[in-house]
Amino acid sequence: PWTTRAYLQRSFYNNTTTLRNPQKHNQGCIIVIYSLANPSQQGDMSKHYTFTKLAECLADRIEALHLCHDSPKGQALLTVGKAAASPSIKIRIRTHFGTNDQIMSSLAGFGIEPGTIPVGQGCRITNLETYQKHLIEMRAVERLKEPKRQKIHVPSKADVLFGKGAPFQSHLGNIQLRSLVSERYKAYAKAATKGQKMQITKEIVQTVQQNSGLFLRPDGGSWVCVEEEAARQKVSALFRSLRIRIGDT
């Protein structure tokens, strides 16, 4: 089950993502919280209470907030969550409980299509792989939007890390970059002009970026993005290292 911290982190991410889309922000958003966790767990009470407090702190325009639970015991928790909200949020809260069909029917009455919620019979999550893939794609696009974040605290698997030693070279993003360089080596070696070689390095940098990767250098306890030219120079250095390693003159 989700911890309260993870629950709020996910909620905060989803809402701040909406804020970056002016059209969605102007239209407002509708939030549906479908809790499948055991309502007897103490964390559940905290989740419903703290989310309503989080919603008040965000600049997002919330048109409606639907709190759903698949157990009658969840009624008390939903009541607590609603009672904790400010008047401006409280008037937008709707609560739903019962079987999955009952909840979906109730949501449909507010214009929310059941197909948009990945929950099926028995109140079990369906199409989980598709849903997770959608989240990964959304995060990848969001990560590369301008303006980029000034600091990255946890590099992703797709990022290329600047630095020497095994911890850097064994990072998945660095391994994938070396693979790209190896695939393009013959074309790079046959390139007749400096401009042609530069174009190949630019294309490799773009490939990394299209896969949501960033070129990062360490900065204290975090990471910062390097300039495009520095990223291209790193790719060029990998081509030179590969040429030396295979003894190609």
Side-chain angles (χ1 to χ4, degrees), residues 229-241:
E229 178 62 19
R232 194 188 63 76
Q233 289 293 340
K234 182 172 182 63
V235 175
S236 296
L238 288 175
F239 273 120
R240 290 194 296 271
S241 297

Side-chain angles (χ1 to χ4, degrees), residues 183-192 196-197 200 239:
E183 290 174 3
R184 300 294 302 275
Y185 177 73
K186 288 185 178 180
Y188 185 85
K190 291 180 179 179
Q196 290 174 338
K197 292 181 183 292
I200 293 174
F239 273 120

Side-chain angles (χ1 to χ4, degrees), residues 14-236:
N14 288 338
N15 280 271
T16 51
T17 298
T18 304
L19 285 173
R20 291 196 178 191
N21 188 316
Q23 182 179 0
K24 289 183 179 179
H25 181 59
N26 292 334
Q27 293 176 343
C29 65
I30 297 174
I31 300 174
V32 178
I33 300 178
Y34 199 129
S35 180
L36 300 176
N38 184 344
S40 64
Q41 295 177 358
Q42 184 177 359
D44 248 17
M45 180 73 76
S46 177
K47 290 176 188 176
H48 288 287
Y49 177 84
T50 52
F51 179 82
T52 54
K53 291 301 182 183
L54 173 65
E56 296 172 17
C57 300
L58 296 173
D60 212 351
R61 179 180 173 183
I62 300 175
E63 290 296 315
L65 175 58
H66 296 268
L67 304 176
C68 310
H69 211 293
D70 59 348
S71 168
K73 294 182 180 179
Q75 284 182 299
L77 303 181
L78 300 180
T79 301
V80 170
K82 188 172 182 178
S86 66
S88 61
I89 295 293
K90 188 179 297 184
I91 61 174
R92 292 175 170 80
I93 293 178
R94 300 293 183 271
T95 60
H96 314 265
F97 84 97
T99 66
N100 180 69
D101 288 341
Q102 290 172 330
I103 291 175
M104 292 300 178
S105 177
S106 180
L107 290 172
F110 291 91
I112 300 174
E113 291 294 332
T116 62
I117 302 176
V119 181
Q121 292 297 327
C123 295
R124 294 291 178 264
I125 297 176
T126 59
N127 300 322
L128 185 57
E129 291 185 1
T130 301
Y131 186 64
Q132 289 175 333
K133 182 180 179 181
H134 167 70
L135 290 179
I136 291 173
E137 292 175 349
M138 183 175 67
R139 287 170 181 162
V141 172
E142 190 66 25
R143 200 164 182 266
L144 298 177
K145 279 189 175 180
E146 298 290 349
K148 293 186 176 68
R149 288 180 292 174
Q150 295 298 314
K151 288 185 179 293
I152 304 294
H153 295 285
V154 181
S156 80
K157 294 180 180 180
D159 293 336
V160 174
L161 307 182
F162 279 56
K164 296 181 179 180
F168 296 93
Q169 302 310 315
S170 61
H171 183 71
L172 182 59
N174 291 59
I175 295 174
Q176 292 173 336
L177 176 61
R178 292 197 297 272
S179 178
L180 289 172
V181 168
S182 180
E183 290 174 3
R184 300 294 302 275
Y185 177 73
K186 288 185 178 180
Y188 185 85
K190 291 180 179 179
T193 66
K194 185 177 180 180
Q196 290 174 338
K197 292 181 183 292
M198 182 181 296
Q199 180 60 32
I200 293 174
T201 60
K202 286 182 178 180
E203 290 173 358
I204 291 177
V205 170
Q206 291 172 355
T207 298
V208 172
Q209 293 172 337
Q210 288 169 359
N211 291 324
S212 79
L214 302 173
F215 288 80
L216 304 174
R217 64 173 176 81
D219 182 48
S222 57
W223 303 81
V224 294
C225 294
V226 303
E227 297 294 332
E228 196 85 5
E229 178 62 19
R232 194 188 63 76
Q233 289 293 340
K234 182 172 182 63
V235 175
S236 296

